Amino acid sequence: MRIYLDSNVLISHLREEIGWGFRPLFLEAEAFFDEARKKHLTLIISILFLEEVEAKTFLTVNEIISRLDEMQLIHERWGKNSMPFEKHIKAGIHYKDAVHIANAIDSRCDAIATFNLKDFEPASNEIRILNPISVI
């Protein structure tokens, strides 16, 4: 199974983030990564993913890749930022999220793993949008 990884999942894991209502996002991300390892899921990461993680964590691209390797995750880099679909922008999806959706579809992913379900929901008729914890 190919899962497009939204940057917020790795960022939450690395920064040990707690969400609204004291929801331990970092523990949910950790559980997702454990399950991804067990199920041999292929995580697709994009240029935009790397840029967003780099901006929030101050890790370099090489350090981000090293972290994924250290966690023994199967991952592939999607080497381009796909053009966002105009219909996603018209549906109210933010530009960067539209790029993530386009990347996921173009790279033939089965789903997108994100904590921002609401932001991606307008595209749910084209690709599955999963909370990382629902993969378990």
Side-chain angles (χ1 to χ4, degrees):
M1 184 172 197
R2 295 169 62 82
I3 304 286
Y4 183 89
L5 187 60
D6 188 14
S7 57
N8 64 23
V9 180
L10 185 60
I11 291 167
S12 293
H13 174 74
L14 295 172
R15 294 175 63 184
E16 297 186 358
E17 290 182 335
I18 307 271
W20 294 102
F22 299 104
R23 183 174 156 204
L25 296 178
F26 73 99
L27 292 177
E28 291 180 22
E30 188 174 310
F32 166 76
F33 291 132
D34 287 343
E35 200 64 20
R37 253 189 316 278
K38 288 177 193 170
K39 292 183 176 178
H40 305 287
L41 302 178
T42 300
L43 303 180
I44 306 304
I45 59 173
S46 66
I47 294 167
L48 180 57
F49 167 92
L50 292 168
E51 290 170 353
E52 290 177 343
V53 174
E54 190 175 32
K56 294 286 185 178
T57 65
F58 305 106
L59 295 172
T60 66
V61 169
N62 288 338
E63 290 170 327
I64 296 165
I65 299 299
S66 290
R67 293 283 180 105
L68 295 171
D69 290 340
E70 288 167 10
M71 290 191 287
Q72 300 176 344
L73 295 168
I74 301 168
H75 58 89
E76 289 180 17
R77 287 170 74 171
W78 180 245
K80 62 180 181 174
N81 275 333
S82 301
M83 293 304 298
F85 294 92
E86 188 175 303
K87 64 183 170 183
H88 294 138
I89 302 293
K90 286 181 180 175
I93 297 174
H94 296 114
Y95 179 82
K96 287 186 177 180
D97 291 339
V99 173
H100 284 303
I101 292 165
N103 287 337
I105 292 169
D106 286 353
S107 63
R108 295 187 172 97
C109 287
D110 299 294
I112 298 173
T114 182
F115 286 123
N116 294 332
L117 299 173
K118 183 179 171 187
D119 294 343
F120 287 85
E121 198 245 322
S124 63
N125 61 334
E126 297 175 73
I127 188 163
R128 289 176 52 208
I129 312 298
L130 301 174
N131 182 312
I133 203 73
S134 70
V135 174
I136 296 174

